[in-house]
Amino acid sequence: MASYELRNEDLSVNSLRAAYCKGLSPVKVVESVFERVDAYHKVQPSVWIYLKSRESVVQVAQDLEIRFPDQKTRPPLFGIPFSIKDNIDIAELATTTACPPLARTPNKSAPVYKKLIEQGGIFIGKTNLEQLATGMTGCRSPYGTLSSVYNKDYIVGGSSSGSCVSVAAGLVSFSIGSDTAGSGRLPAAFNGIVGWKPTKGTVSATGITPACQSQDCIAVLTRNVEDARVVWHMIRGYDANDIYAKPEPYTYRLSSPQRSFTFGIPSSEALAVCSPMYRRMFDDTVKTLQAIGGILKPIDWMPFENAGKLLYEGTFVAERLAGLPDGWLEANKEGLHPVIRTIFEGAANRKTTATEVFRDLHAQQLFTRQAEKAFLPNEGGISVLLVPTAPTHYTISEVLAEPIAKNFALGDFAHFANVVDLCAIALPVSTYSIKELSSRMSEPKKDEGDDARLPFGVTLLGPRFADNEILDLGERIMEAVNGKGQAKN
């Protein structure tokens, strides 16, 4: 038995910081973490693709205590346990991207990992993901299918599946995933945690196996907004080696807790794809924003909807092929997950032309400019955009019956974010009874008790470089949801 019993809430970054200030040893935290990891292996054995040994991590914790005996000189992430999605490089460890034929062992670590270690973080392991970081369901990994921590029959979301479970199950304090089309936000919503996607290019993507390189972005998965902010500040910064990196303008305006703001939502036609339960809970969240000072304004939803279609209905899907070595697909297709093989062969057989690519690039610029206009204050624009993170929550069996169609349907409110260069945070705002989804099924499962519940989440989006404002408002929303915020009269 571990000598220190760790509760889920104790694993938050700020809780651990406070506990360390009172004399808690990181060795005790590590011992407790591995007790939890071992116990959860019996629940879901597919969280980890690589897990460090308990002995080696205890040694890291001991070394930290020796290096930083004075609390005043300890780095910000001193003793904070974290995981990393296995499409991110760590020197001398295999990066599989859940695709054994593509696995490689890098000699350099990704900058995002190096920064976390330099700031005192304790690395626990590399997490499972959908193969080639392609998918939003969590059902496409050769290392096993995970489920929502809330219910074994419901999808975990993807592609940062293991990262989200490692946080939601209380195995680590935070995890670093990736987000191209919603891969950090969707699983966060389906597991009741926070999924933070900063402005694309403001956190180094060097050392990440490309999915769609022009759209790839780091994701931070945490239990609360405050932790997301702390971790983001540790990893942000311009990287000249990242070809899509952006220097930040640092024009952040501090906000008042009572400051009013304007927000937009998808059109009624767009929201019609939501399950009735999801639509009701989204409407409730709209009322929450209005209660804390939000002013709902009409917007043109079409630029966001059209931008989302570019990822998989346009030529952008061909960029997933560009991330593979020449001839790799033909030589290794037999070793791919069947659904991934279908998607990649479909992209290859499409025979996309250069003319089509340029037309879609021009369309992207148009939709980006239109989205920018939606946020311009001097043109009557909104402060933020609010959307349901997903339109519904499918069971694993539903996804396995229609793997491509169900996956595609999940992206209606997620696919557009990186295409039009927005920052976004997925927030867990409520839960609901599984029986309230039963109208979609033939009949509820007999083993579902009256109290069986699933999480519901929304995503808050803002223009590029509005990261701090989005985090600020995210905190205000969560305070209101948790009964700590004050409604504005």
Side-chain angles (χ1 to χ4, degrees):
M1 294 291 291
S3 57
Y4 173 69
E5 184 178 351
L6 201 64
R7 298 172 300 174
N8 279 13
E9 57 268 28
D10 295 332
L11 262 179
S12 75
V13 174
N14 285 333
S15 292
L16 278 181
R17 281 173 154 180
Y20 285 143
C21 287
K22 294 178 181 179
L24 175 65
S25 166
V27 173
K28 290 186 177 181
V29 171
V30 166
E31 289 172 343
S32 186
V33 162
F34 273 89
E35 291 285 350
R36 297 172 71 92
V37 167
D38 290 345
Y40 198 74
H41 182 79
K42 299 180 179 68
V43 180
Q44 296 208 70
S46 303
V47 177
W48 307 95
I49 290 179
Y50 169 80
L51 183 66
K52 291 193 72 174
S53 71
R54 180 193 297 242
E55 294 73 22
S56 66
V57 182
V58 166
Q59 184 62 57
V60 170
Q62 291 172 339
D63 291 345
L64 276 174
E65 286 188 300
I66 294 170
R67 288 171 57 202
F68 301 103
D70 184 355
Q71 293 182 5
K72 295 179 181 179
T73 63
R74 288 175 177 172
L77 296 181
F78 174 86
I80 308 295
F82 71 95
S83 64
I84 275 192
K85 185 177 180 178
D86 193 21
N87 63 338
I88 300 174
D89 286 350
I90 297 177
E92 310 308 324
L93 293 182
T95 301
T96 71
T97 318
C99 184
L102 195 65
R104 57 190 172 77
T105 302
N107 56 22
K108 292 195 302 184
S109 296
V112 65
Y113 171 80
K114 292 169 66 176
K115 287 184 177 182
L116 294 172
I117 296 300
E118 289 167 358
Q119 296 300 329
I122 296 180
F123 169 63
I124 303 299
K126 301 187 82 174
T127 55
N128 198 359
L129 67 152
E130 293 193 279
Q131 191 168 76
L132 298 176
T134 301
M136 307 182 82
T137 65
C139 299
R140 301 172 176 179
S141 172
Y143 296 98
T145 294
L146 292 163
S147 63
S148 168
V149 297
Y150 278 72
N151 189 286
K152 63 182 177 58
D153 295 317
Y154 285 80
I155 61 170
V156 63
S159 62
S160 303
S161 313
S163 286
C164 282
V165 170
S166 69
V167 174
L171 310 182
V172 293
S173 298
F174 69 90
S175 187
I176 301 298
S178 61
D179 190 316
T180 301
S183 290
R185 290 161 280 153
L186 265 291
F190 292 154
N191 291 277
I193 64 171
V194 169
W196 167 231
K197 189 203 76 61
T199 297
K200 184 173 59 177
T202 58
V203 175
S204 175
T206 301
I208 300 177
T209 305
C212 289
Q213 190 173 0
S214 67
Q215 309 302 323
D216 292 344
C217 184
I218 284 290
V220 179
L221 297 317
T222 61
R223 298 190 65 82
N224 55 60
V225 179
E226 296 89 340
D227 284 2
R229 189 194 299 272
V230 169
V231 176
W232 172 57
H233 278 299
M234 296 301 102
I235 62 176
R236 64 192 287 191
Y238 179 75
D239 175 14
N241 293 316
D242 178 355
I243 62 173
Y244 287 102
K246 298 188 185 84
E248 292 188 60
Y250 298 106
T251 56
Y252 168 54
R253 299 182 302 277
L254 291 174
S255 60
S256 162
Q258 296 299 321
R259 180 174 61 88
S260 64
F261 59 94
T262 57
F263 69 102
I265 62 175
S267 65
S268 297
E269 294 79 8
L271 289 170
V273 302
C274 294
S275 66
M277 183 72 256
Y278 266 50
R279 182 60 195 271
R280 289 199 299 274
M281 300 194 81
F282 180 70
D283 289 345
D284 288 344
T285 308
V286 169
K287 294 175 183 177
T288 297
L289 265 68
Q290 291 174 320
I292 62 171
I295 301 168
L296 179 61
K297 297 185 67 173
I299 62 166
D300 180 5
W301 176 248
M302 291 311 297
F304 305 100
E305 181 174 314
N306 290 334
K309 292 177 180 178
L310 285 177
L311 269 186
Y312 294 107
E313 296 181 52
T315 62
F316 283 19
V317 71
E319 190 175 8
R320 292 189 179 267
L321 300 175
L324 300 173
D326 289 341
W328 186 91
L329 179 62
E330 184 61 30
N332 294 278
K333 60 185 180 183
E334 299 293 338
L336 293 179
H337 186 283
V339 177
I340 298 299
R341 176 176 174 176
T342 297
I343 293 169
F344 277 67
E345 285 188 324
N349 293 335
R350 180 172 175 161
K351 306 297 183 185
T352 297
T353 67
T355 301
E356 291 173 324
V357 172
F358 275 110
R359 284 174 178 162
D360 279 356
L361 288 172
H362 298 160
Q364 179 188 15
Q365 288 302 109
L366 172 63
F367 302 147
T368 300
R369 185 58 53 85
Q370 291 171 337
E372 288 172 351
K373 185 176 180 180
F375 291 99
L376 288 177
N378 59 352
E379 299 205 18
I382 55 175
S383 307
V384 294
L385 176 64
L386 179 75
V387 301
T389 303
T392 192
H393 196 165
Y394 294 122
T395 62
I396 293 174
S397 60
E398 285 178 302
V399 168
L400 294 180
E402 297 180 279
I404 295 179
K406 288 289 190 283
N407 185 89
F408 183 79
L410 288 173
D412 282 349
F413 306 113
H415 285 163
F416 64 84
N418 282 341
V419 178
V420 294
D421 210 5
L422 306 181
C423 54
I425 189 164
L427 302 170
V429 294
S430 191
T431 63
Y432 59 94
S433 169
I434 288 178
K435 290 185 176 180
E436 296 184 76
L437 280 183
S438 62
S439 61
R440 194 181 68 225
M441 307 172 191
S442 55
E443 62 179 77
K445 292 181 178 292
K446 293 181 180 180
D447 60 349
E448 288 175 356
D450 292 338
D451 59 347
R453 305 186 71 78
L454 289 171
F456 170 77
V458 297
T459 295
L460 200 63
L461 303 106
R464 62 179 176 270
F465 304 129
D467 302 66
N468 274 300
E469 288 93 335
I470 292 299
L471 288 165
D472 283 349
L473 187 53
E475 287 187 6
R476 291 173 61 188
I477 292 171
M478 293 309 300
E479 287 174 356
V481 166
N482 294 327
K484 299 176 183 178
Q486 296 183 356
K488 187 179 180 65
N489 295 325

